[in-house]
Amino acid sequence: MEARSDHLSRTSGRSCLAIVLAAGEGTRMRSARPKVLHEIAGRSMLAYVLAAVREAGASRVAVVAGPDRDEVARETRAIIPEAQVFVQRERLGTAHAVLAAEEALRDGADDIIVAYGDTPLIEAETFAKLRRPLAEGAAVAVLGFEAKDPAGYGRLILEGGRLIAIREDRDASDAERGIGFCNAGLMALRGDVAFDVLRRIAKNNAKGEYYLTDAVSVAVADGHAAIAVPAPEEEVQGVNDRAQLAEAERVVQERLRRAAMANGATLIAPETVFFSHDTRIGRDVVIEPNVFFGPGVTVEDGVVIHAFSHLEGARLASGVSIGPFARLRPGADLGPNVRVGNFVEIKNVELGPGVKVNHLTYLGDATVGANSNIGAGTITCNYDGFTKHRTVIGEGAFVGTNSSLVAPVTIGENAYIGSGSVITDDVPADALALGRGRQAVKEGWAADFRKKAKAAKSK
Ligand code: UD1
Ligand code: CA
C-alpha cells in the first residue's frame, strides 16, 4: 500500500490519457462475444483494465474497439461514462490502433499510457511505475518481463541500461531470439512527443503492420531516452483463449482469497472458495470448503458459511449462519443472527433478526419478521405462472413443517401454522391456522387388512 501511494504521488500533478486497445478479433476464444468482454470473477477483462488505469491516475480514457462492437462501447461507458470510444476499421497493427484515438491524442496530456484490453491482471501500481520515467525525462517507458517461454513476444533490446529497440519475434535474429526480457505490451509515452513519434512509425516488417513497439527506435533516433520497467510475468499475462482465461481467473481468485484472509476471514480450504470481484467479507467470518460467490454479496462480521453454499446478490448481517448446502439468490437479505440451514433456497426475501429457516425450504418474495421459525419443507408458492406475489410473515410466527404458503398471503405476529397446511387466506396475529383436512382414525383397520391379505395369499 505504501509503495502505491509513493508511485502515485510522484506522478500526480501530471495529466494522463490512457488508450486501451480492444480491437482484436479474439478468434481463439471461439466466441460470439468480443474477447475483452469475457469475465473474470464476474467482471469483464476490459473493466479490470479500465479500473486500473483510472486508479493509476488517468484523467482521460479512450478505448479503441473493432467495427460492430457496440457492446464494447456500452461496457466502457458503464464503467467510465465520459470515456471516448474510437473504432479502428482495419486492423493494421498496434500503432495504427493507437492512432485511431488521434482526436484524444491531439487534445494532449503530459503522459499517454497504452494498455491492452486483453491483459486484465495489470495493477494500478504498475501503470504508475511505468509513468515515473516520463516525469524524469524519458520519452518512452515499456513494461518488460522475464518470459518463461519468450516465443511470440517482442524482445527488449538494451544497450547500457537504456532501451534502444523492440524486435518482434518474427523479425528477430537468432541472437535476439535468445533474449528472455520481453515486451509486456504496455507502454507510456510522453505527451509532447507521442503523436509525432507514432505518426512516423512505418510498416517495413515481416507482418506488414504498424508496430507500436517501433515507437522505441523512432524516439531513440531522435535522441530521446527509452526505459524498460520490469514487472512480474503473472501480472502481464494476456488472454487469447479459454485456457488462458481460466489461468487469469486462477490468479484473480488467489488475489481475492488472500485479501479476504488479510481482512480477518478464515477460509478453511481457500483454494475451493470462489469470490466475485465485488464480494465484501467482514472480520471473523468463517467460510468452509466449496463455497461460491456470485456478484453483489456482502458478508458482515462473525458470519459462518458452511460447506457447499452458493450465494449471489445477498446480504448477510453479523452473526448469520448459513448452510451447508444453502442457496441465497438476489435480494436475500438476512438480518443479524439469522440461521439458514441445509437445502434452503432464498430469493428476494427479507429475514428479520433471529429468524430460523433450518431445513429443506424455498422462500421467494417474502418478508419474515424477527425471531420467526420456518419449519422444514415450507414453500412459498409465489408464482402463478404470470406474476410473482408476496408472502408476509409477522414477528415471532411459527410455521409448521411442510406448509405451502400460497401468496399473496399474510401471517400475523406470533401466529401458529399447523404442519402440512396449505395456507391460502390471511392468518390473524396469535391465531392457529390448520390448512388441511382433519385426521381420520379407524381402530384395528391395519390388523384386519393384514389378516385378510394373508388368507387370500395362502389359498
Ligand atoms: C504485441 C507486441 C509484442 C508484445 C506482445 C505482448 C506489437 C507490435 N507487438 O504482440 O511486442 O510482446 O504484444 O503480448 O505491439 N490490436 C488492435 N488493433 C490492431 C492490432 C492489435 O486493437 O490492429 C490490439 C489487440 O486487440 C491486442 C493488442 O492490440 O489487445 C496486441 O495485439 P496482438 O496482435 O495480440 O499483438 P502481439 O502479436 O501479441
Ligand atoms: Ca497478443
Side-chain angles (χ1 to χ4, degrees):
M1 283 293 133
E2 258 175 38
R4 170 176 303 182
S5 53
D6 182 49
H7 289 304
L8 293 179
S9 67
R10 274 171 214 242
T11 47
S12 69
R14 291 175 65 85
S15 64
C16 176
L17 161 69
I19 301 177
V20 178
L21 304 190
E25 283 166 352
T27 326
R28 279 178 283 163
M29 294 299 283
R30 300 193 181 279
S31 173
R33 210 198 275 196
K35 176 163 80 173
V36 295
L37 298 188
H38 282 263
E39 291 180 352
I40 299 169
R43 178 160 81 151
S44 73
M45 292 199 266
L46 180 61
Y48 281 90
V49 177
L50 292 174
V53 295
R54 246 297 145 83
E55 201 187 323
S59 40
R60 286 192 296 130
V61 175
V63 171
V64 178
D68 304 317
R69 289 305 201 200
D70 293 347
E71 305 115 288
V72 172
R74 244 178 281 131
E75 173 76 347
T76 301
R77 297 217 172 87
I79 292 150
I80 304 180
E82 67 279 14
Q84 289 173 284
V85 179
F86 298 94
V87 175
Q88 185 194 23
R89 305 221 165 270
E90 279 177 290
R91 286 186 96 249
L92 301 179
T94 42
H96 180 263
V98 174
L99 284 169
E102 178 176 341
E103 195 189 311
L105 280 165
R106 281 188 187 280
D107 288 341
D110 295 325
D111 300 343
I112 315 283
I113 52 184
V114 179
Y116 292 169
D118 62 0
T119 306
L121 304 177
I122 195 80
E123 306 216 37
E125 232 175 279
T126 305
F127 281 120
K129 245 191 261 177
L130 196 60
R131 289 176 62 193
R132 236 175 80 187
L134 304 189
E136 289 159 4
V140 185
V142 173
L143 203 63
F145 68 102
E146 283 298 336
K148 272 181 236 111
D149 175 14
Y153 289 110
R155 309 300 206 284
L156 300 185
I157 318 276
L158 300 175
E159 224 176 67
R162 287 273 173 101
L163 184 63
I164 56 159
I166 303 177
R167 197 80 70 232
E168 288 307 297
D169 193 60
R170 57 174 90 191
D171 300 300
S173 66
D174 284 347
E176 286 167 340
R177 282 210 182 94
I179 298 171
F181 195 35
C182 293
N183 173 25
L186 299 147
M187 197 181 272
L189 300 137
R190 224 172 61 215
D192 56 345
V193 298
F195 188 62
D196 180 54
V197 165
L198 291 166
R199 225 169 23 125
R200 281 155 50 218
I201 290 174
K203 52 173 180 175
N204 48 358
N205 51 55
K207 249 174 142 182
E209 285 189 354
Y210 298 95
Y211 286 167
L212 174 61
T213 44
D214 285 344
V216 171
S217 52
V218 172
V220 167
D222 284 351
H224 293 299
I227 303 285
V229 176
E233 179 163 15
E234 187 186 75
E235 213 187 304
V236 298
Q237 274 168 27
V239 172
N240 298 302
D241 56 31
R242 308 268 181 167
Q244 288 169 336
L245 183 68
E247 178 58 21
E249 178 81 36
R250 185 189 66 73
V251 172
V252 169
Q253 289 298 341
E254 266 170 23
R255 286 182 187 172
L256 293 169
R257 290 166 191 148
R258 270 200 301 271
M261 291 188 280
N263 277 333
T266 295
L267 275 57
I268 293 173
E271 67 285 2
T272 67
V273 175
F274 294 84
F275 290 111
S276 177
H277 69 99
D278 61 352
T279 309
R280 289 164 58 188
I281 304 283
R283 290 213 173 153
D284 294 315
V285 168
V286 175
I287 304 176
E288 289 186 355
N290 297 300
V291 173
F292 183 90
F293 293 86
V297 177
T298 299
V299 178
E300 294 177 7
D301 295 350
V303 167
V304 179
I305 301 175
H306 294 285
F308 296 100
S309 292
H310 188 286
L311 305 82
E312 53 185 321
R315 183 186 76 102
L316 290 71
S318 60
V320 161
S321 163
I322 69 160
F325 300 98
R327 179 166 185 212
L328 302 185
R329 293 172 53 202
D333 187 347
L334 279 50
N337 305 313
V338 160
R339 294 276 172 284
V340 167
N342 45 258
F343 306 108
V344 171
E345 175 180 345
I346 297 201
K347 183 217 76 174
N348 194 23
V349 167
E350 203 182 306
L351 299 179
V355 166
K356 293 196 182 79
V357 193
N358 277 333
H359 341 258
L360 301 158
T361 290
Y362 170 62
L363 297 182
D365 304 302
T367 306
V368 182
N371 302 314
S372 287
N373 187 93
I374 310 297
T378 299
I379 305 284
T380 51
C381 310
N382 58 327
Y383 186 51
D384 57 16
F386 297 94
T387 334
K388 303 276 167 68
H389 301 283
R390 285 197 80 76
T391 299
V392 178
I393 301 175
E395 291 186 8
F398 187 96
V399 177
T401 56
N402 218 38
S403 293
S404 299
L405 310 176
V406 183
V409 73
T410 297
I411 294 165
E413 283 178 26
N414 302 311
Y416 247 77
I417 306 297
S419 297
S421 287
V422 177
I423 299 296
T424 52
D425 298 320
D426 290 355
V427 177
D430 291 314
L432 165 69
L434 295 174
R436 52 172 154 84
R438 276 196 74 166
Q439 178 171 309
V441 174
K442 296 186 177 174
E443 298 265 5
W445 184 93
D448 282 351
F449 171 76
R450 258 185 243 112
K451 210 192 286 168
K452 279 182 202 153
K454 262 190 208 150
K457 215 176 175 186
S458 62
K459 264 187 197 162

